[in-house]
């Protein structure tokens, strides 16, 4: 496998031309998958939409909310009301689930031109995914063959990501970048994690990990930045704390929705009573957190990243893309994770524990086979 083409590797850096060609290959594959999905030619697309809770792509809803923010519309209203405020066609009748700070972090979406939102978002997503794989290699210090990249891009999480043009890839970039920065600089590492947590609250578990590992400087920057972002957003007249809390609340029907792939949702859909599912999930998550503290800082951070996805009350299929760097520490890890994703989502209905099982597998692979330099990572922590 080492002779297959792959994207850039920090341990064996290719020439500028080779690196450019690798990025171009990933971008081209993402655009190709997007074109196949939009043309109705992608086999898994029909499976995704069979239980879809929304007719529009996520990016259109995000764009409507960000444009509404710019014109001063009430961010506590539904997306359909936001669409009317900006003169756009009606979209999904639901509150926009974002923290106040997350609205600021995602404000760049508003620059997409009306009528070209989906196409523009696909290009941005393609570049973002290529960058995401590049950071994954830097984190794991291993090369990812393009064959494995292709398997990822045609598996359920990435197909869902590309289909809906969801912006979770931005969260992945921020978490990966923050994790990489923490190996050298607590300030930038903490700042990037603050942005990630504002956009996706589950990333806040990574900040808690900094506290538990006594990385006080990084934790202070991350926590302080997170609070500051939200306070600045709440100072805007059209953002209220009441509306934000209402938008982030998770109704019981969403926990057991057939598209929810969280650990709690998967256990509930498997037939366990909701109370038992919550208890079992809590025990597993706390056990993983305790385990992470017995590992080196870098290995523990990877485990916590997997736990963060498990801990979220609602997890849509595309969230699992954040697991990619964790399985790159072993030549067969990527193939195994892609196989779990494929087998777990074959047929007319999803096997809702496939994502959670993939997260547990990724955490085990990272803790056992990652190529992190434990002494270097721990020396940074000890110097704080």
């Amino acid at each position: 496998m080492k002779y297959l083409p792959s994207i850039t590797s920090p341990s064996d850096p290719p020439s500028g031309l080779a690196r450019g060609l690798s990025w171009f290959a990933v971008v081209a594959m993402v655009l190709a998958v997007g074109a196949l999905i939009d043309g109705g030619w992608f086999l898994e697309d029909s499976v995704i939409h069979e239980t879809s809770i929304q007719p529009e792509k996520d990016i259109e809803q995000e764009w409507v909310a960000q444009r509404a923010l710019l014109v001063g519309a009430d961010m506590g209203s539904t997306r359909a009301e936001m669409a009317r405020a900006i003169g756009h066609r009606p979209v999904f009748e639901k509150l926009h689930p974002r923290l106040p700070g997350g609205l600021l972090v995602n404000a760049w979406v508003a620059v997409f031109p009306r009528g070209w939102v989906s196409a523009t978002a696909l290009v941005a997503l393609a570049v973002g995914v290529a960058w995401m794989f590049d950071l994954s290699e830097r984190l794991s210090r291993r090369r990812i063959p393009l064959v494995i990249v292709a398997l990822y891009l045609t598996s359920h999480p990435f197909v869902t990501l590309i289909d809906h043009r969801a912006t979770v890839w931005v969260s992945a970039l921020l978490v990966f970048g923050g994790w990489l920065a923490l190996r050298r600089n607590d300030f930038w590492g903490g700042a990037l994690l603050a942005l990630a947590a504002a956009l996706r609250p589950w990333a806040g578990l990574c900040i808690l990990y900094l506290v538990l590992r006594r990385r006080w400087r990084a934790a202070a920057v991350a926590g302080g930045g997170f609070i500051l972002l939200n306070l600045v957003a709440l100072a805007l007249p059209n953002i209220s704390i009441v509306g934000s809390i209402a938008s982030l609340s998770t109704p019981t029907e969403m926990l057991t929705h057939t598209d929810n792939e969280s650990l709690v949702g998967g256990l509930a859909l498997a037939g366990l009573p909701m109370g038992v599912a919550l208890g079992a999930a809590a025990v597993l998550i706390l056990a993983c957190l305790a385990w992470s503290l017995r590992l080196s800082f870098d290995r523990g951070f990877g485990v916590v990243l997997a736990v963060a996805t498990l801990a979220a009350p609602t997890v849509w299929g595309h969230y699992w893309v954040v697991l990619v760097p964790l399985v790159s520490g072993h030549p067969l890890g990527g193939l195994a994770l892609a196989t779990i994703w494929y087998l777990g989502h074959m047929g007319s209905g999803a096997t809702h524990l496939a994502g959670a099982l993939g997260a547990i597998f990724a955490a085990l692979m990272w803790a056992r086979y990652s190529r992190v330099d434990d002494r270097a990572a721990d020396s940074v922590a000890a110097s704080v």
Side-chain angles (χ1 to χ4, degrees):
M1 292 176 65
K2 66 181 181 179
Y3 298 107
L4 295 174
S6 66
I7 61 177
T8 182
S9 169
S11 59
D12 184 19
S15 65
L17 177 61
R19 181 174 183 174
L21 289 175
S22 298
W23 273 62
F24 175 79
V26 177
V27 169
M29 283 193 287
V30 173
L31 294 177
V33 173
L36 289 172
I37 290 173
D38 290 348
W41 291 97
F42 202 91
L43 294 178
E44 199 171 351
D45 193 44
S46 60
V47 176
I48 290 174
H49 284 296
E50 185 167 328
T51 59
S52 179
I53 62 172
Q54 55 197 37
E56 305 88 3
K57 295 183 184 298
D58 287 7
I59 191 60
E60 182 183 8
Q61 300 178 30
E62 193 71 51
W63 179 84
V64 164
Q66 296 302 332
R67 281 291 179 98
L69 175 64
L70 292 182
V71 301
D74 180 13
M75 300 310 294
S77 59
T78 66
R79 288 160 169 166
E81 292 169 331
M82 294 179 190
R84 285 192 290 271
I86 63 172
H88 190 67
R89 73 182 184 89
V91 294
F92 193 51
E93 188 76 40
K94 185 176 179 290
L95 297 175
H96 191 60
R98 288 285 180 272
L99 285 170
L103 293 170
L104 297 185
V105 177
N106 249 10
W108 60 275
V109 173
V111 305
F112 290 166
R114 187 188 298 268
W116 293 88
V117 174
S118 184
T120 309
L122 179 60
V123 174
L125 183 147
V127 175
V129 167
W131 196 359
M132 194 177 76
F133 277 110
D134 180 60
L135 289 179
S136 296
E137 283 199 333
R138 295 177 183 276
L139 285 167
S140 63
R141 294 187 173 93
R142 280 187 184 270
R143 305 177 69 186
I144 307 176
L146 281 178
V147 171
I148 301 299
V149 175
L151 285 175
Y152 281 145
L153 295 181
T154 53
S155 65
H156 175 78
F158 276 95
V159 170
T160 310
L161 175 74
I162 297 169
D163 180 24
H164 288 282
R165 315 309 196 237
T167 58
V168 73
W169 60 269
V170 180
S171 308
L173 280 181
L174 291 170
V175 172
F176 296 172
W179 182 6
L180 198 60
L182 283 171
R183 293 176 175 177
R184 295 189 177 184
N185 189 296
D186 280 341
F187 177 82
W188 289 112
L192 290 172
L193 289 179
L195 294 171
L199 193 55
R200 303 285 175 180
W202 51 259
L205 201 61
C206 297
I207 300 177
L208 174 62
Y209 177 70
L210 296 178
V211 175
L212 295 176
R213 296 304 293 249
R214 299 183 180 181
R215 292 287 292 269
W216 304 121
R217 188 184 307 159
V221 172
F226 174 78
I227 294 172
L228 181 61
L229 270 171
N230 284 285
L231 288 178
V232 169
L234 287 172
L236 298 176
N238 55 332
I239 299 179
S240 69
I241 190 169
V242 175
S244 298
I245 293 174
S247 70
L248 288 169
S249 60
T250 305
T252 304
E253 61 267 22
M254 294 300 288
L255 285 174
T256 56
H257 196 282
T258 52
D259 279 349
N260 181 18
E261 297 183 21
S262 70
L263 181 57
V264 174
L267 291 174
L269 288 167
L272 291 180
M274 181 57 70
V276 176
L278 286 169
V283 169
L284 179 59
I285 290 166
L286 290 174
C288 288
L289 276 174
W291 175 40
S292 71
L293 298 178
R294 299 177 63 87
L295 303 171
S296 66
F297 177 84
D298 237 355
R299 294 179 189 274
F301 194 101
V303 171
V304 168
L305 180 57
V307 172
T309 57
L310 289 172
T314 52
V315 177
W316 311 124
H318 53 274
Y319 284 20
W320 302 116
V321 300
V322 302
L323 302 178
V324 168
L326 305 185
V327 296
S328 303
H330 188 275
L332 298 179
L335 179 61
L337 182 62
T339 301
I340 291 173
W341 284 344
Y342 267 99
L343 295 179
H345 295 92
M346 291 178 66
S348 58
T351 302
H352 298 284
L353 286 173
L357 292 174
I360 296 170
F361 168 77
L364 292 171
M365 289 295 295
W366 176 259
R368 177 65 180 84
Y369 293 109
S370 59
R371 276 184 170 180
V372 294
D373 186 349
D374 292 337
R375 289 175 300 176
D378 288 342
S379 66
V380 175
S383 66
V384 177

